[in-house]
Coordinates of all heavy atoms in Angstrom, one line a residue:
M79 N -21.8 7.2 1.4 CA -21.6 7.1 2.9 C -22.7 6.2 3.5 O -23.9 6.3 3.1 CB -21.8 8.5 3.5 CG -21.5 8.6 5.0 SD -19.7 8.5 5.4 CE -19.2 10.2 5.3
L80 N -22.3 5.3 4.3 CA -23.3 4.4 4.9 C -24.1 5.1 6.0 O -23.6 6.0 6.6 CB -22.5 3.2 5.6 CG -21.8 2.3 4.6 CD1 -20.8 1.4 5.4 CD2 -22.7 1.4 3.8
P81 N -25.4 4.7 6.1 CA -26.3 5.5 7.0 C -25.8 5.6 8.5 O -26.0 6.6 9.1 CB -27.6 4.7 7.0 CG -27.5 3.8 5.8 CD -26.0 3.6 5.5
Y82 N -25.1 4.5 9.0 CA -24.7 4.5 10.4 C -23.4 5.1 10.6 O -22.9 5.3 11.7 CB -24.7 3.0 10.9 CG -23.8 2.1 10.1 CD1 -22.5 2.1 10.3 CD2 -24.4 1.2 9.2 CE1 -21.6 1.3 9.6 CE2 -23.6 0.3 8.5 CZ -22.2 0.4 8.7 OH -21.4 -0.5 8.0
A83 N -22.7 5.5 9.5 CA -21.3 6.0 9.7 C -21.3 7.3 10.5 O -20.4 7.4 11.4 CB -20.7 6.3 8.3
G84 N -22.3 8.1 10.3 CA -22.3 9.4 11.1 C -22.5 9.1 12.6 O -22.0 9.8 13.4
A85 N -23.3 8.1 12.9 CA -23.6 7.9 14.3 C -22.4 7.5 15.2 O -22.3 7.9 16.3 CB -24.7 6.8 14.4
H86 N -21.5 6.8 14.5 CA -20.3 6.4 15.3 C -19.1 7.3 15.1 O -18.1 7.1 15.7 CB -19.9 5.0 14.9 CG -21.0 4.0 15.3 ND1 -21.2 3.6 16.6 CD2 -21.9 3.4 14.6 CE1 -22.2 2.7 16.6 NE2 -22.6 2.6 15.4
F87 N -19.3 8.3 14.2 CA -18.1 9.1 13.8 C -17.6 9.8 15.0 O -18.3 10.6 15.7 CB -18.6 10.1 12.7 CG -17.5 10.9 12.2 CD1 -16.4 10.2 11.5 CD2 -17.5 12.3 12.2 CE1 -15.3 11.0 11.0 CE2 -16.4 13.0 11.7 CZ -15.4 12.4 11.1
L88 N -16.3 9.6 15.3 CA -15.6 10.3 16.4 C -16.2 10.0 17.8 O -15.9 10.7 18.7 CB -15.6 11.8 16.2 CG -14.8 12.3 15.0 CD1 -14.8 13.8 14.9 CD2 -13.4 11.8 15.0
E89 N -16.9 8.9 17.9 CA -17.5 8.6 19.2 C -16.6 7.6 20.0 O -16.5 7.6 21.2 CB -18.9 8.0 19.1 CG -19.9 9.1 18.9 CD -21.3 8.6 18.9 OE1 -21.5 7.4 19.0 OE2 -22.2 9.4 18.7
A90 N -16.0 6.7 19.2 CA -15.2 5.7 19.9 C -14.0 5.2 19.0 O -14.1 5.3 17.8 CB -16.1 4.5 20.2
C91 N -13.0 4.7 19.6 CA -11.9 4.2 18.8 C -12.3 3.1 17.9 O -13.1 2.2 18.3 CB -10.8 3.7 19.8 SG -9.4 2.9 19.0
S92 N -11.9 3.1 16.7 CA -12.3 2.1 15.7 C -11.7 0.7 16.0 O -12.3 -0.3 15.6 CB -11.8 2.5 14.3 OG -12.5 3.6 13.8
L93 N -10.7 0.7 16.8 CA -10.1 -0.6 17.1 C -10.5 -1.2 18.4 O -11.0 -2.3 18.5 CB -8.5 -0.5 17.1 CG -7.8 -1.8 17.1 CD1 -7.9 -2.5 15.7 CD2 -6.4 -1.7 17.6
C94 N -10.4 -0.4 19.5 CA -10.6 -0.9 20.9 C -12.0 -0.4 21.4 O -12.3 -0.8 22.5 CB -9.5 -0.6 21.8 SG -9.3 1.1 22.2
S95 N -12.7 0.5 20.7 CA -14.0 1.0 21.1 C -14.0 1.8 22.3 O -15.0 2.0 22.9 CB -15.0 -0.2 21.3 OG -15.1 -0.9 20.0
K96 N -12.8 2.3 22.7 CA -12.7 3.2 23.8 C -13.4 4.5 23.5 O -13.1 5.0 22.4 CB -11.2 3.4 24.1 CG -10.9 4.3 25.3 CD -9.4 4.4 25.6 CE -9.1 5.7 26.2 NZ -7.6 5.9 26.4
P97 N -14.2 5.1 24.3 CA -14.9 6.3 24.0 C -13.9 7.5 23.8 O -12.9 7.6 24.5 CB -15.8 6.6 25.2 CG -15.9 5.3 26.0 CD -14.6 4.5 25.7
L98 N -14.2 8.3 22.8 CA -13.3 9.4 22.5 C -14.0 10.7 22.9 O -15.1 11.0 22.4 CB -13.0 9.4 21.0 CG -12.3 8.2 20.4 CD1 -12.3 8.3 18.9 CD2 -10.9 8.1 21.0
G99 N -13.5 11.4 23.9 CA -14.1 12.6 24.4 C -13.5 13.8 23.7 O -12.6 13.7 22.9
H100 N -14.0 15.0 24.1 CA -13.5 16.2 23.4 C -12.1 16.5 23.9 O -11.4 17.2 23.2 CB -14.5 17.4 23.8 CG -15.8 17.3 23.2 ND1 -15.9 17.4 21.8 CD2 -17.0 17.1 23.7 CE1 -17.2 17.3 21.5 NE2 -17.9 17.0 22.6
N101 N -11.7 16.1 25.0 CA -10.4 16.4 25.5 C -9.4 15.3 25.2 O -8.2 15.3 25.7 CB -10.4 16.6 27.1 CG -11.3 17.8 27.4 OD1 -11.3 18.8 26.7 ND2 -12.0 17.7 28.5
T102 N -9.9 14.3 24.4 CA -9.0 13.2 24.1 C -8.3 13.4 22.8 O -8.9 14.0 21.9 CB -9.9 11.9 24.0 OG1 -10.8 11.8 25.1 CG2 -9.0 10.6 24.0
D103 N -7.1 13.0 22.7 CA -6.4 13.1 21.4 C -7.0 12.0 20.5 O -7.3 10.9 20.9 CB -4.9 12.7 21.5 CG -4.1 13.9 22.1 OD1 -4.7 15.1 22.0 OD2 -3.1 13.7 22.7
I104 N -7.3 12.5 19.2 CA -7.9 11.5 18.3 C -7.0 11.4 17.1 O -6.5 12.4 16.5 CB -9.3 12.1 17.8 CG1 -10.3 12.1 19.0 CG2 -9.9 11.2 16.7 CD1 -11.6 12.7 18.7
Y105 N -6.7 10.2 16.7 CA -5.8 9.9 15.6 C -6.7 9.4 14.5 O -7.3 8.4 14.6 CB -4.8 8.9 16.0 CG -3.9 9.4 17.2 CD1 -4.3 9.2 18.5 CD2 -2.7 10.0 16.9 CE1 -3.5 9.7 19.5 CE2 -1.9 10.5 17.9 CZ -2.3 10.3 19.2 OH -1.6 10.8 20.3
M106 N -6.7 10.2 13.4 CA -7.5 9.8 12.2 C -6.7 8.9 11.3 O -5.5 9.0 11.2 CB -8.0 11.1 11.5 CG -8.9 12.0 12.3 SD -10.3 11.1 13.0 CE -11.2 10.8 11.5
Y107 N -7.5 8.1 10.6 CA -6.9 7.2 9.6 C -7.9 7.0 8.4 O -9.0 6.8 8.6 CB -6.5 5.9 10.2 CG -6.1 4.8 9.3 CD1 -5.1 5.0 8.4 CD2 -6.8 3.6 9.3 CE1 -4.7 4.0 7.5 CE2 -6.4 2.5 8.4 CZ -5.4 2.8 7.5 OH -5.0 1.8 6.7
R108 N -7.4 7.2 7.2 CA -8.2 7.1 6.0 C -9.4 7.9 6.1 O -10.5 7.6 5.6 CB -8.6 5.6 5.8 CG -7.4 4.8 5.4 CD -7.7 3.5 4.8 NE -6.5 2.9 4.2 CZ -6.5 1.7 3.7 NH1 -7.5 0.9 3.7 NH2 -5.4 1.2 3.2
G109 N -9.3 9.1 6.7 CA -10.4 10.1 6.6 C -11.5 10.0 7.6 O -12.0 10.9 8.2
N110 N -11.9 8.7 8.0 CA -13.1 8.6 8.8 C -13.0 7.6 9.9 O -14.0 7.2 10.5 CB -14.4 8.3 8.0 CG -14.2 7.1 7.1 OD1 -13.2 6.4 7.2 ND2 -15.3 6.7 6.4
N111 N -11.8 7.1 10.2 CA -11.6 6.1 11.3 C -10.9 6.8 12.4 O -9.7 7.0 12.3 CB -10.9 4.9 10.8 CG -11.7 4.1 9.8 OD1 -12.9 4.0 9.9 ND2 -11.1 3.5 8.8
P112 N -11.5 7.1 13.5 CA -10.8 7.7 14.7 C -10.2 6.6 15.6 O -10.8 5.6 15.8 CB -11.9 8.4 15.4 CG -13.2 7.7 15.1 CD -13.0 7.0 13.8
F113 N -9.0 6.9 16.1 CA -8.4 6.0 17.1 C -8.0 6.8 18.3 O -7.7 7.9 18.2 CB -7.2 5.3 16.4 CG -7.6 4.4 15.2 CD1 -7.6 4.9 14.0 CD2 -8.0 3.1 15.5 CE1 -8.0 4.1 12.9 CE2 -8.4 2.3 14.4 CZ -8.4 2.8 13.1
C114 N -7.9 6.0 19.4 CA -7.6 6.7 20.7 C -6.1 6.9 20.9 O -5.7 7.7 21.6 CB -8.2 5.9 21.9 SG -7.4 4.3 22.0
S115 N -5.3 6.2 20.1 CA -3.9 6.3 20.2 C -3.2 5.9 18.9 O -3.8 5.3 18.0 CB -3.4 5.3 21.3 OG -3.7 4.0 20.9
Q116 N -1.9 6.3 18.9 CA -1.1 5.9 17.7 C -1.0 4.4 17.6 O -1.0 3.9 16.5 CB 0.3 6.6 17.8 CG 0.3 8.0 17.4 CD 1.7 8.6 17.5 OE1 2.3 8.5 18.5 NE2 2.1 9.2 16.5
E117 N -1.0 3.8 18.7 CA -0.8 2.3 18.7 C -2.0 1.7 18.1 O -1.9 0.7 17.3 CB -0.7 1.8 20.2 CG 0.7 2.0 20.8 CD 0.9 3.5 21.2 OE1 -0.1 4.2 21.3 OE2 2.1 3.9 21.4
C118 N -3.2 2.1 18.4 CA -4.4 1.6 17.8 C -4.5 1.8 16.3 O -4.9 1.0 15.6 CB -5.7 2.1 18.5 SG -6.1 1.4 20.1
R119 N -4.1 3.0 16.0 CA -4.1 3.4 14.5 C -3.1 2.5 13.8 O -3.4 2.0 12.7 CB -3.8 4.9 14.3 CG -3.9 5.3 12.9 CD -3.7 6.7 12.7 NE -2.4 7.1 13.1 CZ -1.9 8.4 13.0 NH1 -2.7 9.3 12.6 NH2 -0.7 8.7 13.5
Q120 N -1.9 2.3 14.3 CA -0.9 1.5 13.7 C -1.4 0.1 13.6 O -1.2 -0.6 12.5 CB 0.4 1.6 14.5 CG 1.6 0.9 13.9 CD 1.9 1.5 12.5 OE1 1.8 2.7 12.3 NE2 2.2 0.6 11.5
E121 N -2.1 -0.4 14.6 CA -2.6 -1.8 14.5 C -3.6 -1.9 13.3 O -3.5 -2.9 12.6 CB -3.4 -2.0 15.9 CG -3.9 -3.4 16.0 CD -2.9 -4.4 16.6 OE1 -1.9 -3.9 17.2 OE2 -3.0 -5.6 16.4
Q122 N -4.5 -0.9 13.2 CA -5.4 -0.9 12.1 C -4.7 -0.9 10.7 O -5.1 -1.6 9.8 CB -6.4 0.2 12.2 CG -7.5 0.2 11.2 CD -8.4 -1.0 11.3 OE1 -8.9 -1.3 12.3 NE2 -8.5 -1.8 10.2
I123 N -3.7 0.0 10.6 CA -2.9 0.1 9.4 C -2.3 -1.3 9.0 O -2.4 -1.7 7.9 CB -1.8 1.2 9.5 CG1 -2.5 2.5 9.6 CG2 -0.8 1.1 8.4 CD1 -1.5 3.7 10.0
E124 N -1.8 -2.0 10.1 CA -1.2 -3.3 9.8 C -2.2 -4.3 9.4 O -2.0 -5.1 8.5 CB -0.4 -3.7 11.1 CG 0.9 -3.0 11.1 CD 1.6 -3.2 12.5 OE1 1.2 -4.1 13.3 OE2 2.6 -2.4 12.7
I125 N -3.4 -4.2 10.0 CA -4.5 -5.1 9.6 C -4.9 -4.9 8.2 O -5.0 -5.8 7.4 CB -5.7 -4.9 10.6 CG1 -5.4 -5.5 12.0 CG2 -6.9 -5.6 10.0 CD1 -6.4 -5.0 13.0
D126 N -5.0 -3.6 7.8 CA -5.4 -3.3 6.4 C -4.3 -3.7 5.4 O -4.6 -4.2 4.4 CB -5.6 -1.8 6.3 CG -7.0 -1.4 6.9 OD1 -7.7 -2.3 7.4 OD2 -7.3 -0.2 6.9
E127 N -3.1 -3.5 5.8 CA -2.0 -3.9 4.9 C -2.0 -5.4 4.7 O -1.7 -5.9 3.6 CB -0.6 -3.4 5.4 CG -0.5 -1.9 5.2 CD 0.8 -1.3 5.8 OE1 1.5 -2.1 6.5 OE2 1.1 -0.2 5.5
A128 N -2.2 -6.1 5.8 CA -2.2 -7.6 5.7 C -3.4 -8.0 4.8 O -3.2 -8.9 4.0 CB -2.4 -8.2 7.1
K129 N -4.5 -7.4 4.9 CA -5.7 -7.7 4.1 C -5.4 -7.4 2.6 O -5.7 -8.2 1.7 CB -6.9 -6.7 4.5 CG -7.8 -7.3 5.5 CD -9.0 -6.4 5.6 CE -9.5 -6.4 7.0 NZ -10.4 -5.3 7.2
E130 N -4.7 -6.2 2.3 CA -4.4 -5.9 1.0 C -3.4 -6.9 0.3 O -3.5 -7.2 -0.8 CB -3.8 -4.5 0.9 CG -5.0 -3.4 0.9 CD -4.5 -2.0 1.2 OE1 -3.3 -1.8 1.1 OE2 -5.3 -1.2 1.6
R131 N -2.5 -7.3 1.2 CA -1.6 -8.4 0.7 C -2.3 -9.6 0.3 O -2.0 -10.2 -0.7 CB -0.5 -8.7 1.7 CG 0.7 -7.7 1.6 CD 1.9 -8.3 2.4 NE 1.6 -8.4 3.8 CZ 1.9 -7.4 4.7 NH1 2.3 -6.2 4.2 NH2 1.6 -7.5 6.0
R132 N -3.3 -10.0 1.1 CA -4.0 -11.2 0.8 C -4.8 -11.1 -0.5 O -4.9 -12.0 -1.3 CB -5.0 -11.6 2.0 CG -4.3 -12.4 3.0 CD -5.3 -13.2 3.8 NE -6.2 -12.4 4.6 CZ -5.9 -11.9 5.8 NH1 -4.7 -12.1 6.3 NH2 -6.7 -11.1 6.5
W133 N -5.4 -9.9 -0.7 CA -6.2 -9.6 -1.9 C -5.3 -9.7 -3.1 O -5.7 -10.2 -4.1 CB -6.9 -8.2 -1.8 CG -8.0 -8.1 -0.9 CD1 -8.8 -9.2 -0.5 CD2 -8.5 -7.0 -0.2 NE1 -9.8 -8.7 0.4 CE2 -9.6 -7.4 0.6 CE3 -8.1 -5.6 -0.2 CZ2 -10.3 -6.5 1.4 CZ3 -8.9 -4.7 0.5 CH2 -10.0 -5.2 1.3
K134 N -4.1 -9.1 -3.0 CA -3.2 -9.2 -4.1 C -2.9 -10.6 -4.5 O -2.8 -11.0 -5.7 CB -2.0 -8.3 -3.8 CG -2.2 -6.9 -4.1 CD -1.0 -6.0 -3.7 CE -1.3 -4.6 -3.7 NZ -0.4 -3.8 -2.9
V135 N -2.6 -11.4 -3.5 CA -2.2 -12.8 -3.7 C -3.4 -13.5 -4.4 O -3.3 -14.2 -5.3 CB -1.9 -13.5 -2.4 CG1 -1.8 -15.0 -2.6 CG2 -0.5 -12.9 -1.9
A136 N -4.6 -13.3 -3.9 CA -5.8 -13.9 -4.4 C -6.0 -13.5 -5.9 O -6.4 -14.3 -6.7 CB -7.1 -13.5 -3.6
K137 N -5.8 -12.2 -6.1 CA -6.0 -11.6 -7.5 C -5.0 -12.3 -8.4 O -5.4 -12.7 -9.5 CB -5.8 -10.1 -7.4 CG -6.7 -9.3 -8.3 CD -6.4 -7.9 -8.1 CE -7.3 -7.0 -9.0 NZ -6.9 -5.6 -8.9
K138 N -3.8 -12.4 -8.0 CA -2.7 -13.0 -8.8 C -3.1 -14.5 -9.2 O -3.0 -14.8 -10.3 CB -1.4 -13.0 -8.0 CG -0.2 -12.8 -8.9 CD 1.1 -13.0 -8.1 CE 1.7 -11.6 -7.8 NZ 2.9 -11.8 -7.0
S139 N -3.6 -15.2 -8.2 CA -3.9 -16.6 -8.5 C -5.1 -16.7 -9.4 O -5.2 -17.6 -10.2 CB -4.1 -17.4 -7.2 OG -5.2 -16.9 -6.5
N140 N -6.1 -15.8 -9.2 CA -7.2 -15.7 -10.1 C -6.8 -15.5 -11.6 O -7.3 -16.1 -12.5 CB -8.2 -14.6 -9.7 CG -9.1 -15.1 -8.5 OD1 -9.1 -16.3 -8.2 ND2 -9.7 -14.1 -7.9
N141 N -5.9 -14.5 -11.7 CA -5.4 -14.2 -13.1 C -4.8 -15.4 -13.7 O -5.0 -15.7 -14.9 CB -4.4 -13.1 -13.0 CG -5.1 -11.7 -12.7 OD1 -6.3 -11.6 -12.9 ND2 -4.3 -10.7 -12.4
K142 N -4.0 -16.1 -12.9 CA -3.3 -17.3 -13.4 C -4.3 -18.3 -13.9 O -4.2 -18.9 -15.0 CB -2.5 -18.0 -12.3 CG -1.0 -17.9 -12.5 CD -0.3 -18.6 -11.4 CE 0.9 -17.8 -10.9 NZ 1.4 -18.3 -9.6
T143 N -5.4 -18.5 -13.2 CA -6.5 -19.4 -13.5 C -7.1 -19.0 -14.9 O -7.3 -19.8 -15.8 CB -7.5 -19.5 -12.4 OG1 -6.9 -19.8 -11.2 CG2 -8.5 -20.6 -12.7
N144 N -7.4 -17.7 -15.0 CA -8.0 -17.1 -16.2 C -7.1 -17.4 -17.4 O -7.6 -17.7 -18.4 CB -8.2 -15.6 -16.0 CG -9.4 -15.4 -15.0 OD1 -10.2 -16.3 -14.7 ND2 -9.5 -14.2 -14.5
V145 N -5.8 -17.1 -17.2 CA -4.9 -17.3 -18.3 C -4.9 -18.8 -18.8 O -5.0 -19.1 -19.9 CB -3.4 -16.9 -17.9 CG1 -2.4 -17.3 -18.9 CG2 -3.4 -15.4 -17.7
R146 N -4.8 -19.6 -17.8 CA -4.8 -21.1 -18.1 C -6.1 -21.5 -18.9 O -6.1 -22.1 -19.9 CB -4.7 -21.9 -16.8 CG -4.1 -23.3 -17.1 CD -4.0 -24.1 -15.8 NE -3.3 -23.5 -14.8 CZ -3.6 -23.5 -13.5 NH1 -4.7 -24.0 -13.1 NH2 -2.8 -22.9 -12.6
T147 N -7.2 -21.0 -18.3 CA -8.5 -21.3 -18.9 C -8.6 -20.7 -20.4 O -9.0 -21.4 -21.3 CB -9.7 -20.7 -18.1 OG1 -9.5 -21.1 -16.8 CG2 -11.0 -21.1 -18.6
G148 N -8.0 -19.5 -20.5 CA -8.0 -18.9 -21.9 C -7.2 -19.7 -22.8 O -7.6 -19.9 -24.0
T149 N -6.0 -20.2 -22.4 CA -5.2 -21.0 -23.2 C -5.9 -22.2 -23.7 O -5.8 -22.6 -24.8 CB -3.9 -21.3 -22.5 OG1 -3.3 -20.1 -22.0 CG2 -2.8 -22.0 -23.4
V150 N -6.5 -22.9 -22.7 CA -7.2 -24.1 -23.0 C -8.3 -23.9 -24.0 O -8.5 -24.6 -25.0 CB -7.8 -24.7 -21.7 CG1 -8.8 -25.9 -22.0 CG2 -6.7 -25.2 -20.8
A151 N -9.0 -22.7 -23.9 CA -10.1 -22.4 -24.8 C -9.6 -22.2 -26.2 O -10.2 -22.6 -27.2 CB -10.9 -21.2 -24.3
V152 N -8.5 -21.5 -26.3 CA -7.9 -21.2 -27.6 C -7.4 -22.5 -28.2 O -7.7 -22.7 -29.4 CB -6.7 -20.2 -27.4 CG1 -5.9 -20.1 -28.7 CG2 -7.3 -18.8 -27.0
A153 N -6.7 -23.3 -27.5 CA -6.2 -24.6 -28.0 C -7.4 -25.5 -28.3 O -7.5 -26.1 -29.3 CB -5.3 -25.2 -27.0
Ligands
LIG130 ZN1 -8.0 2.4 20.8

């Protein structure tokens, strides 16, 4: 756990930074990210999914490079 994580925990929306009060509905995501609305949480989910897709693409191209390098080394 990062040292500052507790300080911001449940204080503000992770996306739009709107303060979250005791009477406010809080939408949790991945255990420790609070959001003021389903819309904000959905936005974050889409951002994360887009990031994961980019990582997968990057990983795939890295693997291709490694395979090619390996083949060259063997030959
Ligand atoms: Zn929000």
Side-chain angles (χ1 to χ4, degrees):
M79 187 73 88
L80 295 164
Y82 58 78
H86 295 285
F87 187 60
L88 294 184
E89 281 183 359
C91 175
S92 290
L93 191 78
C94 68
S95 299
K96 183 179 152 184
L98 299 170
H100 289 294
N101 299 322
T102 315
D103 283 338
I104 296 172
Y105 299 85
M106 297 304 293
Y107 170 55
R108 292 195 170 173
N110 58 0
N111 292 323
F113 295 94
C114 67
S115 64
Q116 283 180 304
E117 285 76 17
C118 279
R119 184 176 59 178
Q120 187 59 38
E121 184 87 18
Q122 185 62 56
I123 290 170
E124 282 168 14
I125 290 167
D126 283 357
E127 283 176 352
K129 268 190 214 162
E130 277 164 21
R131 273 197 294 273
R132 273 204 294 277
W133 286 336
K134 274 175 196 162
V135 169
K137 220 178 178 184
K138 213 186 257 178
S139 61
N140 280 345
N141 285 346
K142 249 183 222 166
T143 307
N144 288 342
V145 168
R146 205 185 299 142
T147 307
T149 308
V150 169
V152 169

